[in-house]
Amino acid sequence: MRFWSDVRSGPRVRGWLKGLLWVLVVAAGPVVAVDYREEPMPPGFRVQMTELEGPVFADALGRTLYTWPQHKHRNGYSGEAAGTPACYDEVRTTTAGLMSPYPAGIELPELETRPSCTDLWPPVLADSTTEDVGKWTIVERRDGTRQWAYDEQPLYTSVRDKLPGDTIGGSLRRFGGDSPAVRVPATPPLAVPPGFAVKRTTLGLMLTTHKNDAVYAHAKDVDCDAACLADWRPLLAPRLARAQGQWGFTAPKPGIRQWTYDGKPLYAYRHDQESWAQQGSDEAGWANVYLLPAPAFPERFRVQATIAGEVLADANGRTIYLYRCGDDSADQLACDHPDDTQVYRMAMCGGGEPGRCREHWPYVEAGPDEVSPNRSWRVATVDPMSGRFVPNDSPEAVRVWTFRDRPVVTYALDRQPGDVFGDGTGEWRGQRNGLKAFWLRDDFMRGVL
C-alpha cells in the first residue's frame, strides 16, 4: 500500500498520519467488483474499485480522479465548462453572489488559513510528450501547463483521499437547486445491457430500466403465475441480446426470454408510484436489485421507520444526521469536513457558540470496543468544541462515528424514535449549509444523500 508522494506539511502530514493509522488498525474488507465497459486509456491511469461509487478512474497510485461539472445557480454558473479549467492557486477572499439572497463581495471567513482551489484539488498534469487517447484529452491551463481531461472535463485529485479507492473528496450523489457545484469522480460506463440504467442511492448502485422503472428480484425461484403477473412485469430481453457477465436469460414460456441478473429473473413492480421507486421491496420476498450494495453501517445502528420513510438511527432509534456545506465563493469549496473552516457549521448548529452546537447537535459517540467496519464508516477522534480531528491521546478527544470522514450527529429536539425534526435545517433545505437526515429510503426523495 503506497501513500502519496506529494505529502509535505501541515494538514497534508496530518492526513498522511491518519491514513497510516487506518492501515495499521483497520482490516478493510474486499470491495465488490462491478463490471464496466473498457475504454482506451493513457498509460499511468487505471480503473479502481471503490466502496461507494463502484469503478472510478484513478492515477497510477490509485488516487480517484474528479471532475467539476458546470452547475447552474440562481445568479450564474460555477464549475468548469468543457475543456476550460477554472481551478487555480488563487485564494478567494469574497463571496461570488451565486446564491441569492447573499450578494457578491462579502468577505469569506478565516482568510489567513483559507486554501486555494488547487490546495485541495491538485490538477492532473500531463507532460509535454503525451497525446490524446480516446475520450482522454489534454487541455491547457492559463500558466501554459497541460492538464488531463476526460470527456472534455479537466481532471483533479483530492487531498482528502488517503488510500487507493477513497472517494472522500467528492461523490456522484449530486444535489440540485442552489446546492454547491460538487466535484464528482470520473467513471467508466457500467456494463449493463441496453434498456437498463443505474441510480446511485444511499443503499447502493440500484438497477433500473432506461425508463426509470426500479428493477426487482425475488429471494427464491418463483413461478410467476397469473396472480403474480398482475403485480409484477417480467423484463423481457430482445431476440438479439447476448448474455454477459452476471447477465443471462430464463425462458418462462417457449419463445420468451426474460432477463436474469446473478441468476435471478428480473421484474418491474406495476404499482410503483414514482420513478426508480422502492415500493415493490415492501412485498414479502422481493427486493430492489443492486449492482453494488452500500457498505455496512456500524452494528449498533439500526433502520428506523419515520413518517416519510426509513432513516439510519442510533441504538436508541434517534435519527442520524449529516452536515453539508459549500461556500459561495467562485471555486465553491466544500466546508463540511473537520479539516475545513468550522465557522459555517458553528453558525448553523449553535449560533456561533461551540457549547450550544454540542448541545443541540451532539456527535454520535463510538463505544470503547467499537471499530470501523469499512472505509466509509470509521471511528475518529475529534475535539467537540473546535470540531477538528485531534490525536487519540489528546485530553479533549472524543471517539465519534464518521461517514466518508464526516462526523455524524443526532438532534436534541428529536424526542422519540422516528422523529426527523432536524431534517433540512439550514440554507436551501440543508443542502448548501445545513443538516440532512441520513435517509435510507425516503419515498419523496427515494434515498438520495
Side-chain angles (χ1 to χ4, degrees):
M1 188 72 70
R2 292 186 59 184
F3 292 97
W4 317 143
S5 59
D6 60 349
V7 173
R8 296 184 179 87
S9 62
R12 294 191 181 184
V13 168
R14 290 194 295 273
W16 186 88
L17 291 174
K18 285 191 294 181
L20 177 59
L21 180 64
W22 170 247
V23 169
L24 292 176
V25 304
V26 176
V31 176
V32 176
V34 178
D35 288 339
Y36 59 90
R37 301 191 187 282
E38 294 188 2
E39 297 181 339
M41 190 181 307
F45 296 103
R46 72 192 202 198
V47 174
Q48 176 74 45
M49 289 297 165
T50 69
E51 282 186 341
L52 287 171
E53 311 293 359
V56 302
F57 288 122
D59 66 8
L61 297 177
R63 292 178 291 193
T64 299
L65 305 182
Y66 295 89
T67 64
W68 187 24
Q70 198 167 64
H71 182 68
K72 183 179 180 180
H73 301 271
R74 295 184 222 176
N75 300 327
Y77 292 84
S78 63
E80 293 178 328
T84 309
C87 179
Y88 287 98
D89 60 0
E90 174 185 358
V91 175
R92 304 289 184 173
T93 61
T94 61
T95 59
L98 293 170
M99 179 185 173
S100 59
Y102 309 111
I106 299 175
E107 186 173 280
L108 294 166
E110 299 181 351
L111 291 179
E112 66 279 4
T113 57
R114 181 177 173 83
S116 69
C117 183
T118 54
D119 284 335
L120 297 179
W121 298 98
V124 181
L125 300 179
D127 62 37
S128 59
T129 63
T130 52
E131 299 179 351
D132 297 352
V133 177
K135 292 184 179 180
W136 297 74
T137 57
I138 296 171
V139 296
E140 186 171 327
R141 297 178 61 81
R142 65 189 183 193
D143 61 0
T145 56
R146 307 168 83 226
Q147 182 177 357
W148 279 108
Y150 177 74
D151 204 14
E152 300 189 75
Q153 290 294 139
L155 293 170
Y156 302 85
T157 58
S158 170
V159 299
R160 301 279 184 244
D161 294 342
K162 308 306 178 189
L163 298 174
D166 279 354
T167 53
I168 294 170
S171 173
L172 284 166
R173 296 167 179 83
R174 300 198 66 195
F175 319 120
D178 267 326
S179 59
V182 297
R183 276 70 174 178
V184 299
T187 64
L190 298 182
V192 297
F196 289 94
V198 177
K199 298 292 184 183
R200 284 174 164 83
T201 75
T202 314
L203 295 176
L205 305 188
M206 191 174 89
L207 186 63
T208 72
T209 71
H210 72 289
K211 294 182 178 180
N212 279 334
D213 296 324
V215 174
Y216 299 88
H218 198 275
K220 300 178 181 179
D221 291 332
V222 294
D223 181 13
C224 200
D225 57 17
C228 169
L229 293 173
D231 297 322
W232 299 94
R233 175 170 59 85
L235 298 180
L236 303 182
R239 183 172 57 86
L240 296 179
R242 296 291 181 267
Q244 58 180 64
Q246 293 174 276
W247 294 85
F249 313 102
T250 186
K253 293 182 181 180
I256 295 178
R257 295 201 306 169
Q258 181 180 356
W259 281 109
T260 65
Y261 181 76
D262 199 20
K264 296 184 180 299
L266 301 181
Y267 296 84
Y269 186 52
R270 298 186 188 275
H271 307 298
D272 271 344
Q273 298 177 9
E274 301 283 349
S275 297
W276 54 287
Q278 295 165 294
Q279 281 92 2
S281 62
D282 295 332
E283 300 297 320
W286 293 90
N288 293 93
V289 176
Y290 294 91
L291 303 188
L292 177 67
F297 45 76
E299 286 187 3
R300 70 180 177 94
F301 288 12
R302 75 189 206 194
V303 178
Q304 177 64 52
T306 77
I307 193 172
E310 295 176 340
V311 295
L312 188 62
D314 67 10
N316 296 317
R318 294 174 64 89
T319 299
I320 287 173
Y321 296 86
L322 276 170
Y323 175 63
R324 291 177 177 170
C325 185
D327 67 26
D328 193 26
S329 63
D331 46 21
Q332 295 279 288
L333 297 182
C335 37
D336 60 356
H337 190 276
D339 287 343
D340 298 329
T341 177
Q342 296 296 297
V343 169
Y344 298 111
R345 188 181 69 86
M346 292 294 184
M348 181 58 61
C349 66
E353 297 182 18
R356 289 179 61 195
C357 195
R358 186 177 184 182
E359 176 186 357
H360 294 165
W361 296 93
Y363 291 111
V364 180
E365 296 189 20
D369 298 325
E370 290 187 294
V371 296
S372 309
N374 46 55
R375 295 266 197 99
S376 302
W377 287 99
R378 294 174 52 183
V379 175
T381 50
V382 300
D383 174 358
M385 298 306 287
S386 71
R388 302 285 189 180
F389 285 134
V390 292
N392 293 344
D393 57 357
S394 296
E396 66 273 20
V398 175
R399 299 179 82 243
V400 302
W401 280 108
T402 68
F403 177 70
R404 295 183 60 250
D405 226 21
R406 279 79 169 171
V408 295
V409 298
T410 56
Y411 184 43
L413 294 184
D414 286 345
R415 303 299 187 188
Q416 58 187 359
D419 284 350
V420 285
F421 295 127
D423 185 46
T425 297
E427 302 172 88
W428 195 250
R429 301 180 182 90
Q431 291 185 8
R432 174 168 285 275
N433 177 19
L435 292 116
K436 297 287 291 182
F438 200 110
W439 290 105
L440 298 175
R441 173 178 163 186
D442 178 344
D443 286 343
F444 301 101
M445 296 188 64
R446 297 176 291 285
V448 177
L449 275 177

